[in-house]
């Protein structure tokens, strides 16, 4: 029927041309072409190859419709992007970051970095009930990417007025009906159309909760016809029925069951298409976003066989009998600057406009590049008060621009969990309870506990101060316990069960996501009980100190794990105001019947600590780094919390220093200086190889203490060392459970080669 209708239209057009010789060819309407692009996840990149063939054939769509990834490719094509531009965007984009909830670490607020990207699960708490997330990915980076790419049509809400009229389809999850989106915010419409249930969070538009259109209507041919298309050229990358021989498990059955409605609807829509391409290959899956290059090539090759037919169609449509196609091959250019006359915030409930604007740092009546605008939005998002911050630019009747910020807040409370194991500190379960605005607006409280052989507790309260939230008040406490700390002091060499507690209160700057200066009062408590006491006369040791501390924190690393560029620095000056020590003396001394204790007070002293690392990205897959660390006390007699435990790939005790080449906490020192250098290589996606060498020099000779207490020699028989040179190599894979790593190491004072294994996010 569609062929007969098209033939009739062509005959009528010919008769009209022949009956009126004075009529110009540009006055004769030609049949209109509608291009239809289906969903299919990453397989939708094949549409770009399909569009490249259409361009070679000389065909320009008059209308475009799309679903899911087809909505993204189609929407960008409709506003003027060429297939070559889309190919470049698809290949150069880091899709692992875009389709995750992560933002670069250097855009996370400095006060939140220690708690960012360290958990496997996260659940909100609302109305005293734990709530499950509505999707795995909220997609902050995806929102920003789509807003950036569609910025040339910000303020143009009627999709029919695009260079090529456009519409996309989503599904109303409340009733299962397809919803055609042809006006409003293009980025938001595309995001709704690709909201795969349980993967991407649903999007609300005009009161409707929308998910992926491919759920019920994956090939929107009828929408293109309704727009006015006479000829339909469709590309389908969606699901297809598998024969029973290929349904080999529960997963196959469930997957096919989920797409029954969509596949049947697509089959019906295919019958309305005049030209249909199905660039499907079993080689690719819907989640293969990092294979964009290969999928685009597959789409091109799958469509290329139709090139002669398409050229013939183009020749017939754009002949002298009809108006010209006016194919535009100019690349789309993003605006260099956006002038913001005013800002409108929508969707915030518990968080005030003042706090949002203060962290956003954008002034009205000033121009901003899109890059800077997105950076400032990510900085506000990096406070972790928001699930999502998306933006659009609208223009009022007097031509002034309004920056629209759509906000979705995180729950007031959340529970996060993680598991970790390594052969240095054992296995542990991390539980984190975070509340925001629970006590005061602009406040955050974290209570975290690591349930492990060596338990740890962290309590941290944080409150923004001032109109622009550039300063914050903090109060917190930390507790850690470690069994069998070795070499605690060169005069002893005893193995201890050690516990450390610190309570602090102070202020810090928060105007930069990567730099903070501040000061605090610090109360430190230490308690050490020998577990191996061959030499020592001390049964128990404890101390208490009060200090005033100033600090400079810098962290511009691009990632939490396996960073490739940036600087990380922790520099602290501390003045010890008072210190009290208590030592319980063994009754074996002088053959006394009862043990006794001695109390001591230390003189006031100064401390300078520094730990600085710089990473250089030399190649997309290769980086190198340099680092220095050290501590200087104005006295050799300090409290236990001012001594440093050295050794291990990933030590987590307070005042511990990583040293590749030594066992965890193998050395201890009061004053020390250390330097390190390393390289990191990523041979495959999510796989990393690291090689590091480091050198340490303490202010006093240190002893090496063996792991086995039975083999521990007497103090007088132990070797002493002036310094140590160590090196190690580590292989890692970044899994959903956290990094999985294995490594080997050795140092100049110990011929034994050590091994390291770890799984999960570190505490």
């Amino acid at each position: 029927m569609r062929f007969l209708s098209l033939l009739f239209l062509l005959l009528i057009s010919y008769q009209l041309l022949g009956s009126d010789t004075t009529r110009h060819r540009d006055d004769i309407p030609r049949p209109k072409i509608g291009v239809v692009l289906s969903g299919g996840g990453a397989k939708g990149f094949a549409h770009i190859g399909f569009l490249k063939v259409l361009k070679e054939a000389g065909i320009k769509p008059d209308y475009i419709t799309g679903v899911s990834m087809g909505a993204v490719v189609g929407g960008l094509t409709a506003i003027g992007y060429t297939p070559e531009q889309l190919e470049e965007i698809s290949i150069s984009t880091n899709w692992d970051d875009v389709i995750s909830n992560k933002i670069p670490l250097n855009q996370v607020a400095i006060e939140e970095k220690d708690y960012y990207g360290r958990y496997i699960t996260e659940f909100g708490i609302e109305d005293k009930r734990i709530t499950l997330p509505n999707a795995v990915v909220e997609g902050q980076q995806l929102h920003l990417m789509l807003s950036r790419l569609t910025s040339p049509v910000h303020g143009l809400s009627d999709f029919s007025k695009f260079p090529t009229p456009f519409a996309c389809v989503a599904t109303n999850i409340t009733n299962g009906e397809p919803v055609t989106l042809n006006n409003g915010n293009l980025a938001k419409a595309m995001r709704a159309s690709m909201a795969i249930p349980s993967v991407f969070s649903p999007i609300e538009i005009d009161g409707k909760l929308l998910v992926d259109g491919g759920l019920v209507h994956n090939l929107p041919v009828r929408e293109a016809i309704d727009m006015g298309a006479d000829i339909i050229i469709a590309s389908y990358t969606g699901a297809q029925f598998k024969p029973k021989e290929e349904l080999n498990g529960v997963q196959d059955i469930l997957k096919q069951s989920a797409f029954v409605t969509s596949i049947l609807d697509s089959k019906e829509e295919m019958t309305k298409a005049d030209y249909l391409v199905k660039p499907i290959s079993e080689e690719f899956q819907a989640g293969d976003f990092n294979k964009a290059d290969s999928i685009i090539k597959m789409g091109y090759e799958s469509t290329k066989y139709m090139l002669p037919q398409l050229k013939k169609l183009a020749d017939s449509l754009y002949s002298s009998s009809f108006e010209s196609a006016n194919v535009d091959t100019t690349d789309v250019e993003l605006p260099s600057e956006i002038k913001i006359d005013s800002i409108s915030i929508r969707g915030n409930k518990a968080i005030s406009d003042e706090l949002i604007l203060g962290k956003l740092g954008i002034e009205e009546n000033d121009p901003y590049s899109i890059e800077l605008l997105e950076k400032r939005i990510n900085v506000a998002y990096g406070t972790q008060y928001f699930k999502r911050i998306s933006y659009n630019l609208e223009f009022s009747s007097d031509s002034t621009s309004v920056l629209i910020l759509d906000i979705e807040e995180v729950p007031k409370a959340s529970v996060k969990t993680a598991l970790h194991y390594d052969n240095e500190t054992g296995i542990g379960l991390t539980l984190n309870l975070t509340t925001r605005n629970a006590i005061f607006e602009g406040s955050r409280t974290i209570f975290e506990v690591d349930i492990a052989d060596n338990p740890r507790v962290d309590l941290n309260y944080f409150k923004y101060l001032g109109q622009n939230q550039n300063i914050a008040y903090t109060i917190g406490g930390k507790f850690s316990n470690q069994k069998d700390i070795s070499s605690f002091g060169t005069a002893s060499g005893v193995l201890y069960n050690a516990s450390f507690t610190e309570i602090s209160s102070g202020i810090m700057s928060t105007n930069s996501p990567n730099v903070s200066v501040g000061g605090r009062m610090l109360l430190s408590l230490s308690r050490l009980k020998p577990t191996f006491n061959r030499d020592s006369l001390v049964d128990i040791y404890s101390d208490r100190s009060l200090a005033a501390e100033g600090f400079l924190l810098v962290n511009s690393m691009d990632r939490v794990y396996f960073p490739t560029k940036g600087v990380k620095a922790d520099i602290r000056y501390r003045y010890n105001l008072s210190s009290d020590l208590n030592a319980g003396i063994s009754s074996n001394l002088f053959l006394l019947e009862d043990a006794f204790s001695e109390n001591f007070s230390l003189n006031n002293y100064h401390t300078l600590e520094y730990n600085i690392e710089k990473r250089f990205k030399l190649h997309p897959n290769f980086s190198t780094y340099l680092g220095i660390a050290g501590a200087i006390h104005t006295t050799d007699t300090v409290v236990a919390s001012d001594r440093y435990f050295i050794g291990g790939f990933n030590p987590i005790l307070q005042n511990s220093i990583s040293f590749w080449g030594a066992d965890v906490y193998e050395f201890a020192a009061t004053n020390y200086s250390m330097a390190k250098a390393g390289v990191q290589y990523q041979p495959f996606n999510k796989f990393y190889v690291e090689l590091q060498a480091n050198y340490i020099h303490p202010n006093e000779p240190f002893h090496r203490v063996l792991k086995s207490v039975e083999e521990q020699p007497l103090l007088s028989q132990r070797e002493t060392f002036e310094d140590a040179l160590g090196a190690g190599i580590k292989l890692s894979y970044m899994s959903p459970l956290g990094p999985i790593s294995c490594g080997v190491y050795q140092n100049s004072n110990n011929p034994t080669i050590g091994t390291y294994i770890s799984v999960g996010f570190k505490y």
Side-chain angles (χ1 to χ4, degrees), residues 313-327:
L313 175 64
D315 290 341
S316 65
L317 290 177
Y318 309 129
S319 67
S320 59
S321 301
F322 299 109
E323 61 188 71
S324 169
N326 295 322
V327 178

Side-chain angles (χ1 to χ4, degrees), residues 317-433:
L317 290 177
Y318 309 129
S319 67
S320 59
S321 301
F322 299 109
E323 61 188 71
S324 169
N326 295 322
V327 178
D328 185 5
T329 59
T330 305
D331 286 352
V332 171
E333 293 185 4
L334 301 183
S336 58
E337 284 187 339
I338 298 175
K339 185 176 182 296
I340 299 172
D341 294 309
S342 61
I343 301 173
S344 176
I345 301 174
R346 302 172 180 174
N348 54 317
K349 299 174 183 177
I351 303 171
S352 68
D353 288 1
E354 181 183 57
L355 190 149
I356 296 170
L357 292 173
K359 300 310 294 182
L360 191 66
I362 292 178
E363 299 291 337
E364 295 180 349
N365 300 314
D366 283 347
Y368 290 87
S369 67
I370 292 179
E371 181 182 6
L372 180 57
L373 177 61
E374 289 187 5
K375 181 179 179 180
R376 295 310 308 173
I377 289 174
N378 268 343
V379 167
Y381 176 79
T383 62
Q384 304 296 284
Y385 280 81
F386 311 100
K387 283 186 178 180
R388 172 179 53 83
I389 305 177
S390 60
Y391 75 95
N392 187 41
L393 203 65
E394 296 182 0
F395 297 91
S396 60
S397 57
D398 59 356
S399 298
T400 58
S401 59
V402 182
L403 177 65
I404 306 296
L405 296 176
D406 283 317
I407 303 291
E408 186 174 355
E409 301 170 349
V410 299
K412 283 192 174 182
S414 62
V415 175
K416 308 170 189 177
T417 66
L419 280 169
H420 62 90
Y421 166 79
D422 64 62
N423 60 344
E424 292 182 341
T425 56
I427 190 170
L429 169 65
T430 301
L431 301 176
N432 175 293
L433 173 64

Side-chain angles (χ1 to χ4, degrees), residues 666-679:
E666 182 174 343
F667 308 128
T670 302
N671 297 339
Y672 76 97
S673 58
M674 188 180 80
K676 67 179 179 181
V679 295

Side-chain angles (χ1 to χ4, degrees), residues 43 236-243 246-247 255-256 259 263 267 270 278-282:
K43 293 186 291 184
Y236 183 76
T237 59
Q240 301 188 65
F241 286 126
K242 290 184 176 181
E246 296 182 22
L247 298 174
K255 186 176 180 180
Q256 182 134 310
F259 288 107
I263 295 173
K267 282 180 172 289
M270 289 177 193
K278 292 196 259 184
I280 301 299
S281 171
E282 295 298 325

Side-chain angles (χ1 to χ4, degrees), residues 133-400:
N134 56 20
V136 175
V137 177
E138 185 63 43
Q140 171 67 12
Q141 295 298 81
L142 179 59
H143 278 285
L144 292 185
M145 177 183 177
L146 294 178
S147 292
R148 177 175 67 255
L149 294 176
T150 59
S151 58
V153 293
H154 281 191
L156 182 58
S157 60
D158 186 351
F159 298 175
S160 69
K161 298 188 183 309
F162 290 168
T164 303
F166 171 73
C168 61
V169 176
T171 301
N172 187 338
I173 194 61
T174 62
N175 58 23
E177 295 181 355
V179 176
T180 301
L181 302 172
N182 52 22
N183 62 80
N185 182 336
L186 176 59
K188 194 172 185 179
M190 294 191 299
R191 172 65 177 79
S193 182
M194 65 178 298
I196 302 171
S198 77
V199 177
F200 293 111
S201 59
I203 298 296
E204 185 174 337
I205 297 178
D206 297 333
K208 300 173 183 177
L209 194 63
L210 303 180
V211 297
D212 196 304
L215 199 63
V216 294
H217 188 49
N218 201 25
L219 193 66
V221 174
R222 62 175 177 263
E223 284 74 14
I225 295 174
D226 291 343
M227 292 171 72
D230 303 301
I231 302 172
I232 299 296
I233 306 176
S235 174
Y236 183 76
T237 59
Q240 301 188 65
F241 286 126
K242 290 184 176 181
K244 65 179 181 180
E245 294 79 14
E246 296 182 22
L247 298 174
N248 298 319
V250 173
Q251 184 177 357
D252 291 337
I253 296 294
L254 288 175
K255 186 176 180 180
Q256 182 134 310
S257 300
F259 288 107
V260 166
T261 301
S262 177
I263 295 173
L264 291 175
D265 179 81
S266 296
K267 282 180 172 289
E268 174 65 25
E269 294 294 286
M270 289 177 193
T271 64
K272 305 172 187 176
D274 300 286
Y275 299 87
L276 176 66
V277 176
K278 292 196 259 184
I280 301 299
S281 171
E282 295 298 325
E283 178 184 354
F284 302 110
Q285 303 299 319
D288 288 337
F289 286 91
N290 290 313
K291 298 180 180 179
D293 189 16
S294 299
I295 297 174
I296 292 170
K297 290 178 181 177
M298 180 267 292
Y300 179 85
E301 294 299 328
S302 299
T303 312
K304 194 174 180 180
Y305 80 95
M306 294 182 63
L307 189 57
Q309 301 175 56
L310 295 172
K311 282 185 175 181
K312 186 176 181 180
L313 175 64
D315 290 341
S316 65
L317 290 177
Y318 309 129
S319 67
S320 59
S321 301
F322 299 109
E323 61 188 71
S324 169
N326 295 322
V327 178
D328 185 5
T329 59
T330 305
D331 286 352
V332 171
E333 293 185 4
L334 301 183
S336 58
E337 284 187 339
I338 298 175
K339 185 176 182 296
I340 299 172
D341 294 309
S342 61
I343 301 173
S344 176
I345 301 174
R346 302 172 180 174
N348 54 317
K349 299 174 183 177
I351 303 171
S352 68
D353 288 1
E354 181 183 57
L355 190 149
I356 296 170
L357 292 173
K359 300 310 294 182
L360 191 66
I362 292 178
E363 299 291 337
E364 295 180 349
N365 300 314
D366 283 347
Y368 290 87
S369 67
I370 292 179
E371 181 182 6
L372 180 57
L373 177 61
E374 289 187 5
K375 181 179 179 180
R376 295 310 308 173
I377 289 174
N378 268 343
V379 167
Y381 176 79
T383 62
Q384 304 296 284
Y385 280 81
F386 311 100
K387 283 186 178 180
R388 172 179 53 83
I389 305 177
S390 60
Y391 75 95
N392 187 41
L393 203 65
E394 296 182 0
F395 297 91
S396 60
S397 57
D398 59 356
S399 298
T400 58

Side-chain angles (χ1 to χ4, degrees), residues 454 479-488 492-500 525-534 536-543 582-588 595-596 640 645 709:
N454 300 297
F479 169 83
S480 59
N481 186 86
Q482 182 69 42
K483 297 177 181 177
D484 295 337
I485 288 288
S486 63
S487 189
F488 192 86
S492 169
V494 185
L495 299 183
Y496 291 93
N497 185 355
S499 63
F500 300 92
L525 308 171
S526 305
R527 184 178 185 276
L528 298 101
K529 177 72 176 176
T531 58
F532 175 71
N533 200 359
R534 181 169 296 178
S536 180
L537 304 174
V538 177
D539 275 338
I540 191 169
Y541 167 91
S542 63
D543 64 41
N582 179 274
I585 307 302
S586 170
S587 60
N588 292 331
F596 66 94
F645 306 99
V709 296

Side-chain angles (χ1 to χ4, degrees), residues 37 47 51 64-66 69-79 86 164 166 190:
L37 307 176
H47 297 319
L51 292 172
I64 300 176
T65 61
M69 182 58 79
V72 176
V73 174
L76 295 178
T77 301
I79 66 174
L86 297 179
T164 303
F166 171 73
M190 294 191 299

